[in-house]
Amino acid sequence: MSKTLAKELRKKLEKITLSARTAAEKAAESSLQFLAVHEAKPRPHMDPSQRAMRNRLRARGKSLGDVRDSNSNIQELTRLIELVAYENWHRLLFARFLAENHLLRTDEANGFVPVSLQDCEDLAPELGAKDGWELACRFARNILPGVFRAEDPALEIKLAPNEEAGLRAILEALPEEVFTASDSLGWTYQFWQAEKKEQVNAAGNKIGADELPSVTQLFTEDYMVDFLLDNTMGAWHASKVLAANPKLAVTAQSEEELRNAVALPGCPWNYLRFIKDQDGKWKPAAGSFDGWPKTAKKLKCLDPCMGSGHFVVAMFERLVALRLAEETLDETAAVTAVIHENLFGLEIDPRCTQIAAFNLALAAWRRVGYCTLPPMNLACSGLAPNARLEDWLKLAGQNDRLKGGMAKLYTLFKDAPVLGSLINPRAAGSDLVDA
């Protein structure tokens, strides 16, 4: 496991991330206004491709919750600006994370060959990119299709060259160590939201869907995550070891001896606590979790508020160690099995969900090198229909059964941006897939 960010590097990352959000939102607003996304009609000089992009961006903004006035046809840009800014900055950021961890690859057409940022600069003219950063971002997007959606117009919009160059300069000011630290990704989103969080708290207004992600964003430091997981998953594992070797519970001289006895390669359970029962035998202080499955393969580990995936990655590391100890798997097979079978996460903020997916992919690739990963069981639980019920039901056409199903979905998820993982899917009373 790589080291956590040193205090001075954390401060630098915070300062640069704040600068990046300001610059990215300014660039996004300029580009959206240039395409008249907010205006009632396209401008006369706009060509067909610009008009098509404008329509796609208006639809994307409306799906995010930007309001379009039904009389004037003017549309606000607030949420779309935030999305375009976020996507463009984080595509650059993720490309550098991949490059600094030696995980950046060419696309399938070019054989998934490892490349550096300098390689991208050299290959750009040959592969039709204007420069190395554009090509690196293209490769990053191909490597992470579940993170950067191929059909999202927010990633297709062109920023002004001077503003795009400014963003890249901000990114290049970050030292290499930031991209190899284990906790950097978690801090990036907290710092991205820091200024908005201060504004919301200072305003003192009621917290709604727009304010909730920034206000509740709080990075959990490593020692907290380790303590909680070591005294749940670790306690469960230790109980099995003591049951298999009851003599150890009697003869062990200290907690440290017990921690050493139950440690696994790469998983020391440093915060696991033991106490003695009334018979003088050692046992995990948190209990033995007897209701849990007996093997790691059967564990289902869910973080219902996963943020940028800090707990998910920490659970991943422990589950891989457990499954390697319990099963005849090689490391790549264990990594794949844990992602596919053991790990689950829900998050109210779609952008945080994106970072969590990248965080898990990065953790997996740091262990076994670049490989194709299975689909991740990580989802955003904060997405609402963002449409009127009557417009939503039109999607069902004349199919009454489908209308009933669509109505249930609308009712269930209309408050998703506030409720998130508190939504109970069983509240609909029947199978949600009615047709």
Side-chain angles (χ1 to χ4, degrees):
M1 173 59 68
S2 52
K3 294 181 180 179
T4 57
L5 273 180
K7 187 176 181 180
E8 62 274 14
L9 283 177
R10 192 187 299 179
K11 287 182 177 178
K12 187 162 190 175
L13 178 60
E14 180 177 17
K15 183 178 179 181
I16 285 178
T17 303
L18 289 170
S19 298
R21 178 162 188 170
T22 300
E25 290 188 346
K26 180 183 176 184
E29 185 173 14
S30 296
S31 296
L32 292 170
Q33 289 179 344
F34 177 77
L35 289 170
V37 175
H38 59 304
E39 295 178 6
K41 296 178 181 179
R43 294 169 188 160
H45 68 271
M46 293 173 66
D47 62 32
S49 64
Q50 289 175 320
R51 290 169 183 255
M53 174 60 76
R54 174 184 176 274
N55 289 339
R56 292 175 65 205
L57 287 165
R58 280 170 69 85
R60 186 75 172 98
K62 194 174 180 184
S63 75
L64 294 169
D66 279 342
V67 176
R68 183 184 302 171
D69 188 277
S70 57
N71 295 319
S72 67
N73 207 34
I74 291 172
Q75 182 166 319
E76 66 178 1
L77 295 177
T78 306
R79 295 167 185 80
L80 190 58
I81 288 171
E82 290 180 359
L83 177 67
V84 172
Y86 171 87
E87 294 286 0
N88 278 276
W89 168 249
H90 281 77
R91 180 171 50 176
L92 285 167
L93 189 73
F94 288 5
R96 190 164 173 205
F97 263 105
L98 290 169
E100 298 293 2
N101 286 277
H102 310 291
L103 293 167
L104 192 62
R105 297 290 189 275
T106 61
D107 52 26
E108 186 175 7
N110 292 286
F112 288 122
V113 176
V115 286
S116 66
L117 290 173
Q118 184 58 54
D119 293 332
C120 290
E121 194 66 42
D122 297 339
L123 288 167
E126 178 186 339
L127 298 180
K130 66 181 180 182
D131 58 29
W133 272 115
E134 183 180 281
L135 188 60
C137 287
R138 184 198 303 175
F139 290 156
R141 186 172 175 177
N142 289 329
I143 289 170
L144 302 163
V147 174
F148 297 113
R149 292 166 45 194
E151 73 280 8
D152 195 341
L155 279 166
E156 295 176 29
I157 190 169
K158 301 294 184 185
L159 302 181
N162 63 315
E163 291 172 326
E164 190 170 41
L167 274 181
R168 294 175 182 182
I170 292 171
L171 178 64
E172 288 167 355
L174 283 170
E176 179 185 339
E177 297 92 322
V178 168
F179 299 93
T180 55
S182 61
D183 57 345
S184 293
L185 272 170
W187 288 115
T188 58
Y189 197 61
Q190 176 155 323
F191 296 153
W192 181 264
Q193 292 281 39
E195 193 170 273
K196 185 172 181 180
K197 182 175 184 177
E198 287 181 6
Q199 292 169 353
V200 171
N201 287 333
N205 298 326
K206 182 178 179 181
I207 304 300
D210 290 337
E211 298 82 18
L212 195 61
S214 61
V215 172
T216 57
Q217 185 56 225
L218 181 64
F219 182 72
T220 311
E221 298 216 38
D222 279 0
Y223 74 92
M224 302 179 193
V225 175
D226 290 342
F227 182 87
L228 290 168
L229 293 182
D230 285 2
N231 288 287
T232 47
M233 298 173 75
W236 170 80
H237 166 67
S239 296
K240 295 202 303 173
V241 173
L242 291 174
N245 183 11
K247 186 179 178 181
L248 180 63
V250 177
T251 60
Q253 297 299 304
S254 66
E255 290 184 82
E256 188 65 26
E257 182 182 340
L258 287 162
R259 279 192 286 269
N260 290 334
V262 303
L264 298 170
C267 187
W269 311 110
N270 287 326
Y271 290 87
L272 176 59
R273 299 304 310 272
F274 293 88
I275 57 173
K276 288 186 176 182
D277 64 18
Q278 58 187 11
D279 297 323
K281 295 179 180 179
W282 288 103
K283 65 178 183 179
S288 56
F289 299 91
D290 295 330
W292 287 20
K294 302 305 178 186
T295 63
K297 182 178 181 178
K298 297 293 185 181
L299 289 175
K300 303 294 183 186
C301 301
L302 167 69
D303 185 346
C305 318
M306 70 178 169
S308 54
H310 199 177
F311 273 96
V312 169
V313 169
M315 290 191 291
F316 163 79
E317 298 289 355
R318 288 161 172 80
L319 286 162
V320 169
L322 286 165
R323 293 196 65 168
L324 284 171
E326 293 181 9
E327 304 171 55
T328 55
L329 298 172
D330 62 34
E331 192 168 16
T332 300
V335 163
T336 300
V338 166
I339 291 173
H340 180 58
E341 298 170 0
N342 297 112
L343 280 178
F344 299 82
L346 294 172
E347 167 55 37
I348 201 168
D349 185 341
R351 282 163 288 206
C352 239
T353 310
Q354 185 190 67
I355 295 178
F358 180 53
N359 211 350
L360 180 55
L362 199 60
W365 291 333
R366 279 171 169 163
R367 285 192 73 115
V368 299
Y370 177 77
C371 61
T372 301
L373 299 174
M376 297 177 183
N377 304 307
L378 310 179
C380 178
S381 56
L383 301 177
N386 282 328
R388 296 181 304 170
L389 177 58
E390 53 267 34
D391 294 332
W392 179 257
L393 293 180
K394 286 178 183 177
L395 297 171
Q398 301 304 311
N399 186 324
D400 290 338
R401 188 172 178 225
L402 185 53
K403 278 185 178 178
M406 294 293 283
K408 287 180 182 178
L409 285 172
Y410 187 93
T411 301
L412 191 61
F413 291 103
K414 64 183 176 65
D415 295 322
V418 174
L419 296 178
S421 57
L422 296 176
I423 291 172
N424 178 9
R426 296 186 179 89
S430 63
D431 187 351
L432 288 174
V433 188
D434 277 14

